[in-house]
Amino acid sequence: MGRWEPDARGRLLRAALELFSERGYEATTTAQIAERAGLTKATLFRLFPDKREIVFQGQARLVALVTTGVQNAPAEARPVELVAAGLSALSDAHTQEHRDLGRTLDAIVASSEELRERAVFKRWAITSAFEQALIARLGDPHKAGVLADLGTRAFYTGGEKWLATDDRHCLADYVLRELASYEDLMRACFTAQ
Amino acid sequence: MGRWEPDARGRLLRAALELFSERGYEATTTAQIAERAGLTKATLFRLFPDKREIVFQGQARLVALVTTGVQNAPAEARPVELVAAGLSALSDAHTQEHRDLGRTLDAIVASSEELRERAVFKRWAITSAFEQALIARLGDPHKAGVLADLGTRAFYTGGEKWLATDDRHCLADYVLRELASYEDLMRACFTAQ
C-alpha cells in the first residue's frame, strides 16, 4: 500500500486517458483507473484528490516553467522578449511524444463540461503565473497583465496549430511565430479595419 | 409552489449574498437562502441548479450584452472601436447600485476556491462571446482573439478601479480609459524596456 510505485503519476495519466477514451469520462471510476494502472486506490488518492486532477497534473510544472523562464531572461530583454523567454521554457518541455498525448487529451477535455471548465482554470493559472513573473521583472502590473494575455494566447494558439499538423517543427517554432505575429496585428487593430 | 414570484432571481441573489457574508459560502445551505428570500426550495431549484449559480446569474446577460454591442457597432468602425462598442454595452448595464453589489460579490468570491474557479470561467465566457462577435464582424479569428483578450482585460481592470473608488464616474469611463491606454502600452512592449 504505502510503498513507492515507479512513475505512479504517469501510469495513472495513461490509464485514465485510455479509460476516458474507451468508456467516457463520466462512466470511468477511480477504482478502474487504479486497476488499469496496476496501483491501489490508496496510491491514487495519495497523489490526486479525484479523477479530474489526474488529467491536469501537468499544470504545476507549466506554472513553474513559465515563472523561471521569465526570471532567467537576460537583464537587457525588452518586454516582449521576456514573454518569449517564458514561452520558450514552456514549449521546450514538450516533446513529439507530448504531441500525441496532447491530441488525446484535447479530445477528452472537449467531451466533458467539467473538464472544459477545469481547462479554463488551467489556462488562467498559466496566465496568472506569467503575469506575476512579468510584474517582478517589469515592475508594471498594467504592462505585465496585457503581455501575460498575449503570451498565453500565443502558447495556446501555437499549440493548437502544432497539434493539428505532423511536421517536424517543435512546439516552440509555432508558439514563437505566433507571438511574433502579434506586433503587426496590434498595429492593425489600433489603426485601420 | 409553482406560482410566479416577483423578482425571485434578484431576491435569491440578495439573500445569498447576505448569508454568504454572515456565515460563509460553505456553511450556507440552499434551504437557508430560499427561506431568507421568502421563497420555497422548489422555486430556487427551478431557477438555479445550486447555490453557486445564484451568484453568477449575471453571466448570461453580460454575454448577450457584449455580443449585441459588437454586432450593432457602426459599419465603418475600426477593430478597436468594435471592442469599445462591446465594452460600452457591458458597462452601461452597470449602475451605481451595482457598485456596492460588486464589492460584496468580490469579497465573497475571494473567500472560496470553488467560487474563484467559477469566476475564472465567467471571465472566459465573456472573452469567448467577445471573440465570436469580433470574428463575425472582422472575419479574422487571429485578430478577434487578441482583441477579445484586451477587451475583457479592460472590462475587468477598469471594473476593479471603479469598485475601488467612490467618485461619480460611471463604469464605462474607467473601462474605456483602460482600453485607450493599451495602444501606447502595446507600442512600448514591442519596442523598448
Side-chain angles (χ1 to χ4, degrees), chain A residues 52 77-80 117-118 120-121 124 131 138 142-143 145-147 149-150 153 178 181-183 185-186 188-193, chain B residues 52 77-80 117 120-121 124 131 138 142-143 145-147 149-150 153 178 181-183 185-186 188-193:
Chain A
R52 193 183 73 158
R78 294 179 302 146
V80 71
E117 192 168 325
R118 180 64 182 81
V120 168
F121 193 74
W124 176 85
E131 189 170 351
L138 294 169
H142 200 209
K143 216 177 259 186
V146 172
L147 285 170
D149 280 346
L150 285 181
R153 180 163 288 275
E178 185 70 21
S181 76
Y182 291 165
E183 182 170 3
L185 194 70
M186 292 313 309
C189 287
F190 281 102
T191 52
Q193 178 84 35
Chain B
R52 192 183 74 158
R78 294 179 302 147
V80 71
E117 193 168 322
V120 168
F121 194 73
W124 175 85
E131 189 169 352
L138 295 168
H142 199 209
K143 215 176 261 185
V146 173
L147 286 171
D149 280 347
L150 285 182
R153 179 163 289 276
E178 184 71 21
S181 77
Y182 291 165
E183 182 170 2
L185 193 72
M186 293 313 309
C189 287
F190 280 103
T191 53
Q193 178 83 35

Short mmCIF file of all heavy atoms in Angstrom, two decimals, chain A residues 52 77-80 117-118 120-121 124 131 138 142-143 145-147 149-150 153 178 181-183 185-186 188-193, chain B residues 52 77-80 117 120-121 124 131 138 142-143 145-147 149-150 153 178 181-183 185-186 188-193:
data_model
loop_
_atom_site.label_atom_id
_atom_site.label_comp_id
_atom_site.label_asym_id
_atom_site.label_seq_id
_atom_site.Cartn_x
_atom_site.Cartn_y
_atom_site.Cartn_z
N ARG A 52 -10.43 13.90 -11.99
CA ARG A 52 -10.24 15.10 -12.81
C ARG A 52 -8.79 15.59 -12.73
O ARG A 52 -8.19 15.96 -13.75
CB ARG A 52 -11.19 16.19 -12.30
CG ARG A 52 -11.32 17.37 -13.22
CD ARG A 52 -12.23 18.44 -12.60
NE ARG A 52 -11.58 19.15 -11.51
CZ ARG A 52 -11.93 20.37 -11.08
NH1 ARG A 52 -12.96 20.98 -11.62
NH2 ARG A 52 -11.29 20.96 -10.09
N ALA A 77 16.62 42.27 -21.71
CA ALA A 77 15.48 41.85 -22.53
C ALA A 77 14.39 42.92 -22.58
O ALA A 77 14.04 43.50 -21.57
CB ALA A 77 14.91 40.54 -21.99
N ARG A 78 13.85 43.16 -23.79
CA ARG A 78 12.68 44.04 -23.94
C ARG A 78 11.46 43.28 -23.38
O ARG A 78 11.51 42.05 -23.26
CB ARG A 78 12.42 44.33 -25.42
CG ARG A 78 13.50 45.15 -26.10
CD ARG A 78 13.15 45.35 -27.57
NE ARG A 78 12.98 44.08 -28.27
CZ ARG A 78 12.11 43.86 -29.26
NH1 ARG A 78 11.29 44.82 -29.66
NH2 ARG A 78 12.04 42.70 -29.86
N PRO A 79 10.36 43.98 -23.08
CA PRO A 79 9.19 43.30 -22.53
C PRO A 79 8.76 42.09 -23.35
O PRO A 79 8.50 41.01 -22.81
CB PRO A 79 8.12 44.39 -22.54
CG PRO A 79 8.88 45.66 -22.37
CD PRO A 79 10.18 45.46 -23.09
N VAL A 80 8.68 42.24 -24.67
CA VAL A 80 8.22 41.12 -25.49
C VAL A 80 9.22 39.96 -25.47
O VAL A 80 8.84 38.80 -25.64
CB VAL A 80 7.90 41.59 -26.94
CG1 VAL A 80 9.16 41.93 -27.69
CG2 VAL A 80 7.04 40.57 -27.67
N GLU A 117 -14.36 23.21 -18.07
CA GLU A 117 -14.29 24.25 -17.04
C GLU A 117 -12.92 24.20 -16.34
O GLU A 117 -12.31 25.24 -16.10
CB GLU A 117 -15.44 24.05 -16.03
CG GLU A 117 -15.62 25.22 -15.10
CD GLU A 117 -16.94 25.18 -14.30
OE1 GLU A 117 -17.96 24.72 -14.85
OE2 GLU A 117 -16.93 25.61 -13.14
N ARG A 118 -12.45 22.99 -16.06
CA ARG A 118 -11.14 22.84 -15.41
C ARG A 118 -10.01 23.32 -16.33
O ARG A 118 -9.01 23.89 -15.86
CB ARG A 118 -10.95 21.37 -15.01
CG ARG A 118 -9.64 21.05 -14.32
CD ARG A 118 -9.51 21.75 -12.98
NE ARG A 118 -8.21 21.47 -12.35
CZ ARG A 118 -7.09 22.09 -12.66
NH1 ARG A 118 -7.08 23.05 -13.55
NH2 ARG A 118 -5.96 21.77 -12.04
N VAL A 120 -10.19 25.70 -18.52
CA VAL A 120 -10.18 27.16 -18.48
C VAL A 120 -9.40 27.65 -17.26
O VAL A 120 -8.63 28.60 -17.33
CB VAL A 120 -11.64 27.71 -18.47
CG1 VAL A 120 -11.67 29.20 -18.12
CG2 VAL A 120 -12.31 27.45 -19.81
N PHE A 121 -9.58 26.93 -16.14
CA PHE A 121 -8.86 27.30 -14.92
C PHE A 121 -7.35 27.06 -15.08
O PHE A 121 -6.54 27.85 -14.61
CB PHE A 121 -9.40 26.50 -13.72
CG PHE A 121 -8.93 27.04 -12.41
CD1 PHE A 121 -9.47 28.23 -11.91
CD2 PHE A 121 -7.95 26.40 -11.68
CE1 PHE A 121 -9.03 28.75 -10.70
CE2 PHE A 121 -7.51 26.92 -10.46
CZ PHE A 121 -8.05 28.09 -9.98
N TRP A 124 -5.97 29.89 -17.00
CA TRP A 124 -5.88 31.07 -16.14
C TRP A 124 -4.69 30.95 -15.19
O TRP A 124 -4.01 31.96 -14.92
CB TRP A 124 -7.18 31.23 -15.35
CG TRP A 124 -7.10 32.37 -14.39
CD1 TRP A 124 -7.34 33.70 -14.65
CD2 TRP A 124 -6.70 32.30 -13.02
NE1 TRP A 124 -7.11 34.44 -13.52
CE2 TRP A 124 -6.72 33.62 -12.51
CE3 TRP A 124 -6.32 31.25 -12.18
CZ2 TRP A 124 -6.38 33.90 -11.19
CZ3 TRP A 124 -5.97 31.54 -10.87
CH2 TRP A 124 -6.01 32.85 -10.39
N GLU A 131 1.86 36.55 -15.48
CA GLU A 131 1.65 37.92 -15.04
C GLU A 131 2.52 38.24 -13.82
O GLU A 131 3.18 39.28 -13.79
CB GLU A 131 0.15 38.09 -14.71
CG GLU A 131 -0.25 39.52 -14.44
CD GLU A 131 -1.78 39.67 -14.37
OE1 GLU A 131 -2.51 38.71 -14.71
OE2 GLU A 131 -2.22 40.77 -13.98
N LEU A 138 9.24 43.63 -14.72
CA LEU A 138 8.93 44.94 -15.32
C LEU A 138 8.54 45.99 -14.29
O LEU A 138 8.63 47.19 -14.55
CB LEU A 138 7.78 44.81 -16.33
CG LEU A 138 8.05 43.96 -17.58
CD1 LEU A 138 6.75 43.70 -18.34
CD2 LEU A 138 9.05 44.69 -18.50
N HIS A 142 0.30 46.81 -15.14
CA HIS A 142 -0.53 47.12 -16.29
C HIS A 142 0.02 46.43 -17.54
O HIS A 142 -0.64 45.66 -18.21
CB HIS A 142 -0.50 48.64 -16.42
CG HIS A 142 -1.61 49.23 -17.20
ND1 HIS A 142 -1.46 50.39 -17.91
CD2 HIS A 142 -2.89 48.83 -17.40
CE1 HIS A 142 -2.60 50.69 -18.49
NE2 HIS A 142 -3.48 49.77 -18.21
N LYS A 143 1.30 46.68 -17.79
CA LYS A 143 2.01 46.09 -18.92
C LYS A 143 2.07 44.57 -18.77
O LYS A 143 1.87 43.81 -19.72
CB LYS A 143 3.43 46.68 -18.94
CG LYS A 143 4.01 46.92 -20.30
CD LYS A 143 5.38 47.59 -20.19
CE LYS A 143 5.30 49.08 -20.43
NZ LYS A 143 6.64 49.72 -20.46
N GLY A 145 0.09 42.53 -17.26
CA GLY A 145 -1.19 41.87 -17.48
C GLY A 145 -1.48 41.66 -18.95
O GLY A 145 -1.85 40.55 -19.38
N VAL A 146 -1.30 42.72 -19.73
CA VAL A 146 -1.58 42.62 -21.17
C VAL A 146 -0.61 41.63 -21.83
O VAL A 146 -1.01 40.81 -22.66
CB VAL A 146 -1.49 44.01 -21.82
CG1 VAL A 146 -1.59 43.91 -23.33
CG2 VAL A 146 -2.59 44.91 -21.28
N LEU A 147 0.66 41.70 -21.43
CA LEU A 147 1.66 40.78 -22.02
C LEU A 147 1.38 39.33 -21.62
O LEU A 147 1.62 38.42 -22.42
CB LEU A 147 3.06 41.18 -21.59
CG LEU A 147 3.64 42.42 -22.27
CD1 LEU A 147 4.93 42.84 -21.59
CD2 LEU A 147 3.87 42.17 -23.76
N ASP A 149 -1.57 38.00 -21.13
CA ASP A 149 -2.66 37.55 -22.00
C ASP A 149 -2.12 37.17 -23.38
O ASP A 149 -2.47 36.13 -23.94
CB ASP A 149 -3.69 38.68 -22.20
CG ASP A 149 -4.66 38.80 -21.04
OD1 ASP A 149 -4.73 37.88 -20.21
OD2 ASP A 149 -5.35 39.83 -20.98
N LEU A 150 -1.28 38.05 -23.93
CA LEU A 150 -0.73 37.79 -25.27
C LEU A 150 0.13 36.53 -25.26
O LEU A 150 0.04 35.70 -26.17
CB LEU A 150 0.14 38.97 -25.74
CG LEU A 150 -0.57 40.24 -26.20
CD1 LEU A 150 0.47 41.27 -26.64
CD2 LEU A 150 -1.54 39.97 -27.35
N ARG A 153 -2.03 33.43 -24.95
CA ARG A 153 -2.71 33.19 -26.23
C ARG A 153 -1.76 32.59 -27.26
O ARG A 153 -2.11 31.69 -28.00
CB ARG A 153 -3.35 34.48 -26.75
CG ARG A 153 -4.08 34.30 -28.08
CD ARG A 153 -5.02 35.45 -28.37
NE ARG A 153 -6.19 35.41 -27.52
CZ ARG A 153 -7.30 34.69 -27.77
NH1 ARG A 153 -7.38 33.96 -28.87
NH2 ARG A 153 -8.31 34.70 -26.95
N GLU A 178 3.81 32.64 -33.50
CA GLU A 178 2.53 33.23 -33.12
C GLU A 178 2.75 34.56 -32.37
O GLU A 178 2.15 35.58 -32.72
CB GLU A 178 1.77 32.23 -32.24
CG GLU A 178 0.39 32.63 -31.84
CD GLU A 178 -0.62 32.61 -32.98
OE1 GLU A 178 -0.38 31.92 -33.99
OE2 GLU A 178 -1.64 33.31 -32.85
N SER A 181 3.80 37.39 -34.55
CA SER A 181 2.74 37.93 -35.42
C SER A 181 1.90 38.99 -34.70
O SER A 181 1.18 39.75 -35.34
CB SER A 181 1.83 36.80 -35.91
OG SER A 181 0.94 36.39 -34.89
N TYR A 182 1.97 39.03 -33.38
CA TYR A 182 1.08 39.93 -32.64
C TYR A 182 1.47 41.40 -32.78
O TYR A 182 0.64 42.28 -32.58
CB TYR A 182 1.00 39.54 -31.15
CG TYR A 182 0.28 38.24 -30.91
CD1 TYR A 182 0.37 37.57 -29.70
CD2 TYR A 182 -0.53 37.67 -31.90
CE1 TYR A 182 -0.30 36.38 -29.47
CE2 TYR A 182 -1.20 36.46 -31.68
CZ TYR A 182 -1.08 35.83 -30.46
OH TYR A 182 -1.74 34.65 -30.23
N GLU A 183 2.74 41.67 -33.09
CA GLU A 183 3.14 43.08 -33.20
C GLU A 183 2.40 43.76 -34.36
O GLU A 183 1.77 44.80 -34.17
CB GLU A 183 4.66 43.19 -33.40
CG GLU A 183 5.10 44.64 -33.47
CD GLU A 183 6.61 44.82 -33.42
OE1 GLU A 183 7.34 43.80 -33.39
OE2 GLU A 183 7.06 45.98 -33.40
N LEU A 185 -0.22 42.65 -35.86
CA LEU A 185 -1.64 42.50 -35.58
C LEU A 185 -2.14 43.66 -34.72
O LEU A 185 -3.18 44.26 -34.99
CB LEU A 185 -1.83 41.19 -34.83
CG LEU A 185 -3.23 40.66 -34.71
CD1 LEU A 185 -3.71 40.18 -36.06
CD2 LEU A 185 -3.28 39.52 -33.70
N MET A 186 -1.40 43.96 -33.66
CA MET A 186 -1.82 45.02 -32.75
C MET A 186 -1.82 46.36 -33.47
O MET A 186 -2.71 47.17 -33.27
CB MET A 186 -0.87 45.10 -31.55
CG MET A 186 -0.90 43.92 -30.61
SD MET A 186 -2.54 43.37 -30.12
CE MET A 186 -3.26 44.91 -29.59
N ALA A 188 -2.34 46.90 -36.59
CA ALA A 188 -3.50 46.93 -37.49
C ALA A 188 -4.80 47.17 -36.72
O ALA A 188 -5.70 47.86 -37.18
CB ALA A 188 -3.59 45.61 -38.26
N CYS A 189 -4.89 46.60 -35.53
CA CYS A 189 -6.13 46.73 -34.75
C CYS A 189 -6.36 48.15 -34.27
O CYS A 189 -7.49 48.59 -34.12
CB CYS A 189 -6.09 45.80 -33.54
SG CYS A 189 -6.30 44.08 -33.99
N PHE A 190 -5.27 48.85 -33.97
CA PHE A 190 -5.42 50.20 -33.43
C PHE A 190 -5.47 51.25 -34.53
O PHE A 190 -5.68 52.41 -34.25
CB PHE A 190 -4.30 50.50 -32.43
CG PHE A 190 -4.55 49.88 -31.09
CD1 PHE A 190 -3.89 48.72 -30.70
CD2 PHE A 190 -5.49 50.42 -30.23
CE1 PHE A 190 -4.14 48.14 -29.47
CE2 PHE A 190 -5.74 49.85 -28.99
CZ PHE A 190 -5.06 48.70 -28.61
N THR A 191 -5.24 50.84 -35.79
CA THR A 191 -5.29 51.86 -36.85
C THR A 191 -6.48 51.62 -37.79
O THR A 191 -7.55 52.15 -37.56
CB THR A 191 -3.96 51.89 -37.64
OG1 THR A 191 -3.65 50.56 -38.07
CG2 THR A 191 -2.83 52.40 -36.76
N ALA A 192 -6.32 50.79 -38.81
CA ALA A 192 -7.39 50.65 -39.82
C ALA A 192 -8.17 49.35 -39.65
O ALA A 192 -7.83 48.52 -38.83
CB ALA A 192 -6.78 50.69 -41.22
N GLN A 193 -9.23 49.21 -40.42
CA GLN A 193 -10.05 47.98 -40.43
C GLN A 193 -9.22 46.82 -40.90
O GLN A 193 -8.57 46.87 -41.90
CB GLN A 193 -11.25 48.19 -41.38
CG GLN A 193 -12.16 46.98 -41.50
CD GLN A 193 -13.20 46.91 -40.39
OE1 GLN A 193 -13.68 47.93 -39.93
NE2 GLN A 193 -13.51 45.71 -39.97
N ARG B 52 -24.13 28.00 -5.99
CA ARG B 52 -23.06 28.69 -6.71
C ARG B 52 -23.61 29.53 -7.87
O ARG B 52 -23.19 30.67 -8.09
CB ARG B 52 -22.08 27.63 -7.25
CG ARG B 52 -20.77 28.18 -7.76
CD ARG B 52 -19.89 27.06 -8.34
NE ARG B 52 -20.38 26.60 -9.64
CZ ARG B 52 -19.64 25.99 -10.55
NH1 ARG B 52 -18.38 25.70 -10.29
NH2 ARG B 52 -20.14 25.62 -11.70
N ALA B 77 -16.61 51.08 -38.23
CA ALA B 77 -15.79 51.03 -37.01
C ALA B 77 -14.46 50.32 -37.25
O ALA B 77 -14.42 49.27 -37.88
CB ALA B 77 -16.56 50.34 -35.89
N ARG B 78 -13.37 50.89 -36.72
CA ARG B 78 -12.07 50.22 -36.73
C ARG B 78 -12.14 49.06 -35.73
O ARG B 78 -13.00 49.07 -34.83
CB ARG B 78 -10.97 51.18 -36.27
CG ARG B 78 -10.72 52.35 -37.19
CD ARG B 78 -9.64 53.24 -36.61
NE ARG B 78 -9.97 53.74 -35.28
CZ ARG B 78 -9.09 53.99 -34.31
NH1 ARG B 78 -7.80 53.75 -34.52
NH2 ARG B 78 -9.47 54.47 -33.15
N PRO B 79 -11.21 48.09 -35.82
CA PRO B 79 -11.25 46.96 -34.88
C PRO B 79 -11.34 47.38 -33.42
O PRO B 79 -12.16 46.87 -32.66
CB PRO B 79 -9.95 46.22 -35.18
CG PRO B 79 -9.69 46.51 -36.62
CD PRO B 79 -10.18 47.89 -36.87
N VAL B 80 -10.52 48.34 -33.03
CA VAL B 80 -10.53 48.74 -31.61
C VAL B 80 -11.84 49.42 -31.24
O VAL B 80 -12.27 49.38 -30.08
CB VAL B 80 -9.29 49.61 -31.27
CG1 VAL B 80 -9.41 50.99 -31.90
CG2 VAL B 80 -9.09 49.70 -29.77
N GLU B 117 -12.81 29.66 -8.87
CA GLU B 117 -12.72 28.86 -10.09
C GLU B 117 -13.90 29.19 -11.02
O GLU B 117 -13.73 29.34 -12.22
CB GLU B 117 -12.72 27.36 -9.72
CG GLU B 117 -12.33 26.46 -10.87
CD GLU B 117 -12.03 25.02 -10.43
OE1 GLU B 117 -11.44 24.81 -9.36
OE2 GLU B 117 -12.39 24.10 -11.19
N VAL B 120 -13.39 32.52 -12.78
CA VAL B 120 -12.47 32.42 -13.92
C VAL B 120 -13.25 31.94 -15.16
O VAL B 120 -13.05 32.44 -16.27
CB VAL B 120 -11.30 31.46 -13.60
CG1 VAL B 120 -10.53 31.10 -14.85
CG2 VAL B 120 -10.39 32.07 -12.55
N PHE B 121 -14.17 31.02 -14.93
CA PHE B 121 -14.99 30.51 -16.04
C PHE B 121 -15.92 31.59 -16.58
O PHE B 121 -16.13 31.69 -17.79
CB PHE B 121 -15.80 29.29 -15.59
CG PHE B 121 -16.40 28.53 -16.73
CD1 PHE B 121 -15.61 27.74 -17.55
CD2 PHE B 121 -17.76 28.63 -17.01
CE1 PHE B 121 -16.16 27.05 -18.63
CE2 PHE B 121 -18.31 27.94 -18.08
CZ PHE B 121 -17.51 27.15 -18.88
N TRP B 124 -13.93 33.81 -18.76
CA TRP B 124 -13.67 33.14 -20.03
C TRP B 124 -14.92 33.17 -20.92
O TRP B 124 -14.82 33.34 -22.14
CB TRP B 124 -13.23 31.69 -19.79
CG TRP B 124 -13.06 30.95 -21.07
CD1 TRP B 124 -11.96 30.93 -21.88
CD2 TRP B 124 -14.05 30.15 -21.72
NE1 TRP B 124 -12.20 30.17 -22.99
CE2 TRP B 124 -13.47 29.67 -22.91
CE3 TRP B 124 -15.36 29.78 -21.40
CZ2 TRP B 124 -14.17 28.85 -23.80
CZ3 TRP B 124 -16.05 28.97 -22.27
CH2 TRP B 124 -15.46 28.52 -23.46
N GLU B 131 -14.98 37.24 -28.50
CA GLU B 131 -14.21 36.69 -29.61
C GLU B 131 -15.14 36.29 -30.77
O GLU B 131 -14.89 36.62 -31.93
CB GLU B 131 -13.43 35.47 -29.10
CG GLU B 131 -12.43 34.92 -30.09
CD GLU B 131 -11.48 33.89 -29.44
OE1 GLU B 131 -11.51 33.73 -28.20
OE2 GLU B 131 -10.72 33.26 -30.19
N LEU B 138 -15.13 40.93 -38.07
CA LEU B 138 -13.82 41.13 -38.69
C LEU B 138 -13.46 40.03 -39.69
O LEU B 138 -12.60 40.22 -40.54
CB LEU B 138 -12.72 41.19 -37.62
CG LEU B 138 -12.75 42.37 -36.64
CD1 LEU B 138 -11.79 42.13 -35.49
CD2 LEU B 138 -12.39 43.66 -37.38
N HIS B 142 -7.78 35.43 -35.73
CA HIS B 142 -6.50 35.75 -35.12
C HIS B 142 -6.60 37.11 -34.40
O HIS B 142 -6.33 37.24 -33.21
CB HIS B 142 -5.49 35.80 -36.27
CG HIS B 142 -4.07 35.67 -35.85
ND1 HIS B 142 -3.05 36.23 -36.57
CD2 HIS B 142 -3.49 35.05 -34.81
CE1 HIS B 142 -1.90 35.96 -35.98
NE2 HIS B 142 -2.14 35.24 -34.92
N LYS B 143 -7.05 38.11 -35.18
CA LYS B 143 -7.24 39.45 -34.66
C LYS B 143 -8.32 39.46 -33.58
O LYS B 143 -8.19 40.10 -32.54
CB LYS B 143 -7.67 40.34 -35.84
CG LYS B 143 -7.15 41.74 -35.81
CD LYS B 143 -7.56 42.48 -37.08
CE LYS B 143 -6.44 42.53 -38.10
NZ LYS B 143 -6.81 43.35 -39.30
N GLY B 145 -9.26 37.14 -31.54
CA GLY B 145 -8.82 36.54 -30.28
C GLY B 145 -8.02 37.50 -29.43
O GLY B 145 -8.28 37.66 -28.23
N VAL B 146 -7.05 38.16 -30.04
CA VAL B 146 -6.21 39.10 -29.29
C VAL B 146 -7.05 40.28 -28.79
O VAL B 146 -6.91 40.71 -27.64
CB VAL B 146 -5.04 39.59 -30.18
CG1 VAL B 146 -4.27 40.69 -29.49
CG2 VAL B 146 -4.11 38.42 -30.51
N LEU B 147 -7.94 40.78 -29.64
CA LEU B 147 -8.79 41.90 -29.22
C LEU B 147 -9.75 41.51 -28.11
O LEU B 147 -10.07 42.32 -27.24
CB LEU B 147 -9.57 42.45 -30.43
CG LEU B 147 -8.76 43.26 -31.43
CD1 LEU B 147 -9.60 43.55 -32.67
CD2 LEU B 147 -8.27 44.57 -30.81
N ASP B 149 -9.17 39.33 -25.76
CA ASP B 149 -8.37 39.34 -24.52
C ASP B 149 -8.20 40.77 -24.00
O ASP B 149 -8.38 41.03 -22.81
CB ASP B 149 -6.96 38.78 -24.79
CG ASP B 149 -6.93 37.26 -24.81
OD1 ASP B 149 -7.92 36.63 -24.38
OD2 ASP B 149 -5.92 36.71 -25.26
N LEU B 150 -7.84 41.68 -24.90
CA LEU B 150 -7.63 43.07 -24.49
C LEU B 150 -8.92 43.68 -23.96
O LEU B 150 -8.93 44.37 -22.94
CB LEU B 150 -7.14 43.91 -25.68
CG LEU B 150 -5.69 43.74 -26.12
CD1 LEU B 150 -5.40 44.69 -27.28
CD2 LEU B 150 -4.72 44.00 -24.97
N ARG B 153 -9.83 42.24 -20.57
CA ARG B 153 -8.92 42.80 -19.55
C ARG B 153 -9.31 44.23 -19.21
O ARG B 153 -9.31 44.63 -18.04
CB ARG B 153 -7.47 42.72 -20.02
CG ARG B 153 -6.47 43.30 -19.02
CD ARG B 153 -5.05 42.88 -19.29
NE ARG B 153 -4.83 41.48 -18.99
CZ ARG B 153 -4.55 41.00 -17.76
NH1 ARG B 153 -4.44 41.83 -16.73
NH2 ARG B 153 -4.37 39.72 -17.58
N GLU B 178 -9.23 52.58 -19.82
CA GLU B 178 -8.32 51.43 -19.75
C GLU B 178 -8.00 50.93 -21.16
O GLU B 178 -6.84 50.75 -21.52
CB GLU B 178 -8.98 50.33 -18.92
CG GLU B 178 -8.14 49.10 -18.66
CD GLU B 178 -7.00 49.34 -17.69
OE1 GLU B 178 -7.04 50.30 -16.90
OE2 GLU B 178 -6.03 48.56 -17.76
N SER B 181 -5.68 53.09 -23.09
CA SER B 181 -4.29 53.06 -22.64
C SER B 181 -3.49 51.93 -23.28
O SER B 181 -2.27 51.93 -23.25
CB SER B 181 -4.22 52.93 -21.11
OG SER B 181 -4.50 51.59 -20.72
N TYR B 182 -4.20 50.94 -23.83
CA TYR B 182 -3.49 49.76 -24.35
C TYR B 182 -2.72 50.03 -25.63
O TYR B 182 -1.79 49.30 -25.96
CB TYR B 182 -4.47 48.60 -24.55
CG TYR B 182 -5.02 48.01 -23.26
CD1 TYR B 182 -6.13 47.19 -23.25
CD2 TYR B 182 -4.41 48.28 -22.04
CE1 TYR B 182 -6.63 46.65 -22.07
CE2 TYR B 182 -4.91 47.75 -20.85
CZ TYR B 182 -6.01 46.94 -20.88
OH TYR B 182 -6.49 46.42 -19.71
N GLU B 183 -3.11 51.07 -26.38
CA GLU B 183 -2.39 51.34 -27.63
C GLU B 183 -0.93 51.72 -27.34
O GLU B 183 -0.01 51.10 -27.88
CB GLU B 183 -3.09 52.44 -28.44
CG GLU B 183 -2.40 52.69 -29.76
CD GLU B 183 -3.19 53.59 -30.70
OE1 GLU B 183 -4.28 54.06 -30.30
OE2 GLU B 183 -2.71 53.81 -31.82
N LEU B 185 0.63 51.27 -24.59
CA LEU B 185 1.21 50.17 -23.84
C LEU B 185 1.79 49.11 -24.79
O LEU B 185 2.91 48.64 -24.62
CB LEU B 185 0.10 49.55 -23.00
CG LEU B 185 0.51 48.58 -21.93
CD1 LEU B 185 1.17 49.33 -20.80
CD2 LEU B 185 -0.70 47.84 -21.39
N MET B 186 1.01 48.75 -25.81
CA MET B 186 1.46 47.72 -26.75
C MET B 186 2.67 48.21 -27.52
O MET B 186 3.61 47.45 -27.74
CB MET B 186 0.34 47.39 -27.75
CG MET B 186 -0.87 46.71 -27.16
SD MET B 186 -0.51 45.33 -26.05
CE MET B 186 0.60 44.40 -27.07
N ALA B 188 4.93 50.27 -26.48
CA ALA B 188 6.07 50.23 -25.56
C ALA B 188 6.58 48.79 -25.36
O ALA B 188 7.77 48.56 -25.26
CB ALA B 188 5.68 50.83 -24.22
N CYS B 189 5.66 47.85 -25.33
CA CYS B 189 6.05 46.45 -25.07
C CYS B 189 6.85 45.86 -26.22
O CYS B 189 7.71 45.01 -26.03
CB CYS B 189 4.81 45.60 -24.84
SG CYS B 189 4.07 45.91 -23.24
N PHE B 190 6.50 46.28 -27.43
CA PHE B 190 7.16 45.69 -28.58
C PHE B 190 8.43 46.45 -28.97
O PHE B 190 9.13 46.04 -29.87
CB PHE B 190 6.20 45.61 -29.77
CG PHE B 190 5.25 44.44 -29.66
CD1 PHE B 190 3.94 44.62 -29.27
CD2 PHE B 190 5.70 43.16 -29.93
CE1 PHE B 190 3.07 43.54 -29.16
CE2 PHE B 190 4.84 42.07 -29.82
CZ PHE B 190 3.53 42.26 -29.43
N THR B 191 8.69 47.59 -28.31
CA THR B 191 9.90 48.32 -28.67
C THR B 191 10.91 48.33 -27.52
O THR B 191 11.76 47.46 -27.45
CB THR B 191 9.55 49.76 -29.12
OG1 THR B 191 8.76 50.37 -28.11
CG2 THR B 191 8.77 49.74 -30.43
N ALA B 192 10.80 49.28 -26.59
CA ALA B 192 11.85 49.40 -25.55
C ALA B 192 11.39 48.85 -24.22
O ALA B 192 10.24 48.50 -24.04
CB ALA B 192 12.20 50.87 -25.39
N GLN B 193 12.29 48.77 -23.27
CA GLN B 193 12.01 48.31 -21.91
C GLN B 193 11.04 49.26 -21.24
O GLN B 193 11.17 50.44 -21.32
CB GLN B 193 13.33 48.28 -21.13
CG GLN B 193 13.21 47.86 -19.68
CD GLN B 193 13.17 46.36 -19.48
OE1 GLN B 193 13.83 45.63 -20.21
NE2 GLN B 193 12.37 45.89 -18.54
#
